[in-house]
Amino acid sequence: MFRLQENNTTVKTEIFAGLTTYLTMVYIVIVNPSILAISGVPSEQVFTATIIAAVFGTLWLALFANYPIAMAPGMGLNAFFTFSVVQASKGEIDYMTAFSAVFVAGIIFFIISLTPLRQMLVKAIPNNLKLAITAGIGLFIAFIGMRSAGIVTDDEATLVRLGDLSSPMVWLTIVGVLVTAIFMMYRVFGAIFWGMIVTAILAAFTGNLNFDGVVSMPSLPEGILVWNPIEAFGDVIKYGLYGTVFSFILVTLFDTTGTMIGVAKQAGILKDDKLPRARQAFLGDSMATIIGSMFGTSPSTAYIESSSGVAVGGRTGLTSLVVAGLFVITLFFSPLAATLASVPAITSPALIIVGSLMIGVVRHIEWDKVEEAFPAFLVILIMPLTSSISDGIAFGFISYPLFKLLKGKGKEVHPLLYFFAILFIILLVIMSH
């Protein structure tokens, strides 16, 4: 079924690769509930929804695309959901309405993935803006990690300042970051996960963590949250969540496409620089996003952590099948995950470390060209300062064609980018009020 001989691999190798990928990304079942719970979603609901989305998306890639790539709700998008959509509305938008926006984004994304428009969008948007979006999200989630742990705190005069370094939660977070960074430095598979475990043990010994249980039957306290497309589209129109939907689509589009191409290249799957079975693969993230939003989680994307499984020999969908199977087993450890997610010092290091990895792409931005660099800089700057991915994207998409026109290079800009610039101006200036 997975054509193991054709791909020069074995069952044993694929199982080990699946285990490796799982260990590098399982932190999401702890971090995701801790972030979405801030918006009011019950942690147990998010835990189960996270695994459902991960299992569905990963199985899709295993069975329909035969790729050694795993999926799960994306880092950054969960923070955007909580802080930029729900909390920023100051009570006007609840998490149910926000999940309607995710549901709609998934449907539109699914339709786009069935057409050549997805590839057209990827080609239309400049590489420097794509890199800036990744870097901006990295700063955004790292800032959230530092804030939730108390390393950074509010200040009336300067907005933010250094927190109380004598606080147990702060120094536990700092130790967690250091331990995780050391694991990564020595290329320990699952470094983020093992860093969380070490921090949890330290928290338990210092009295900052109390276990209420380890195993339980899977549950969805609030059942299915979104299922009616008409009601979901109605919520988006009623609350004017067009920019939110567009941001969900755009970030997932770049994230998944870039990750799939990168991991596929590493695995030797690319044929003449093209992804085989690309349409089947690209339907995975949109379907996982739809399913995930129905049960209670933010948009899903392909995980770059899949490269760790490929590095130890994973070459086929059997690797992904193993990952999905391990996530199913994880369903029964909800109390343990909830306990770990309740301590910011355990989850914050993961946010900070992932943020540091994402910001690394700035080295590929063309800083010597102002018309390329300044729009990218605006994206990176605006995201963490406004706690909004969509605002950062908007400033980048508006400034990029403007600077190109001023430079006399307007013809180099794809017509779609001018359309997006006008759209974002309308959303920021008119519809936001």
Side-chain angles (χ1 to χ4, degrees), residues 309-334:
V310 170
V312 296
R315 292 295 180 270
T316 73
L318 182 55
T319 294
S320 301
L321 186 65
V322 172
V323 175
L326 290 169
F327 269 116
V328 171
I329 295 171
T330 310
L331 267 175
F332 297 91
F333 292 88
S334 173

Side-chain angles (χ1 to χ4, degrees), residues 8 29 55 58 64 70 97 129 138 152 155 203-204 211-212 224 230 263 268 294 329 336 343 372 384 399:
N8 298 314
V29 304
V55 170
T58 304
F64 294 100
T97 304
L129 285 185
V152 171
D155 187 276
F211 289 96
D212 296 322
I224 297 177
I230 296 174
V263 177
M294 292 173 66
I329 295 171
L336 176 60
V343 181
E372 295 282 345
S399 61

Side-chain angles (χ1 to χ4, degrees), residues 243-267:
T244 300
V245 170
F246 185 65
S247 295
F248 280 144
I249 293 172
L250 214 56
V251 175
T252 310
L253 173 73
F254 299 149
D255 202 349
T256 301
T257 306
T259 299
M260 281 192 183
I261 292 173
V263 177
K265 187 174 183 179
Q266 181 187 0

